[in-house]
Amino acid sequence: MSFFILVLIAVLLFISLLKYRRIYSVALSAGGILGTTTAVLMFGLWFYTRTNSIVFFNDEIPERGFLHMIAVWYAVDAGCIAIIIRNFLEYRKVNRK
C-alpha cells in the first residue's frame, strides 16, 4: 500500500500541472481524484472489518488514524482541484476569442 500512496502523490502532482482546455477534462480529473480517494476509503473501511490496523510505511495505523489520514487526503484533493480549476480559468482567460 505504501507504493500506491507514493504513486498517487506523483499522479496528483502531474494532474495538477496539466493544461486544461475543456471543462470536460476538468470534471474528469476532479472525479478521478475524488473517486480514487473514496475507493481507498472504502477499501480501508472494508479492511478494518477484518483486522485492527493497516500497515503504512512499516507503522501500524489504527482505524481512527486512518480516518484522519483520509480527511487530510481529501483536503489535499480539494487543493489539487482548486489548482486544476485555476489553470483552466487562466487558460480560458488567455485564449478567449
Side-chain angles (χ1 to χ4, degrees):
M1 184 161 180
S2 301
F3 179 72
F4 174 74
I5 300 298
L6 293 175
V7 168
L8 186 64
I9 290 170
V11 169
L12 284 175
L13 284 171
F14 177 73
I15 288 174
S16 296
L17 298 175
L18 286 176
K19 289 182 184 176
Y20 292 92
R21 295 181 174 104
R22 301 201 184 259
I23 192 68
Y24 305 115
S25 60
V26 172
L28 184 64
S29 296
I33 289 171
L34 292 174
T36 302
T37 306
T38 303
V40 170
L41 173 64
M42 292 299 133
F43 173 75
L45 292 176
W46 172 80
F47 195 80
Y48 279 116
T49 61
R50 297 173 176 258
T51 63
N52 293 341
S53 64
I54 291 178
V55 177
F56 181 70
F57 289 118
N58 296 324
D59 288 331
E60 290 185 4
I61 299 177
E63 186 173 4
R64 184 174 175 155
F66 175 75
L67 293 176
H68 286 124
M69 183 180 74
I70 291 295
V72 170
W73 195 344
Y74 273 115
V76 170
D77 286 351
C80 288
I81 291 170
I83 291 170
I84 288 169
I85 291 171
R86 185 188 70 200
N87 288 345
F88 172 71
L89 293 175
E90 287 177 3
Y91 177 82
R92 296 279 301 206
K93 182 179 174 183
V94 169
N95 294 309
R96 282 219 166 132
K97 295 179 181 178

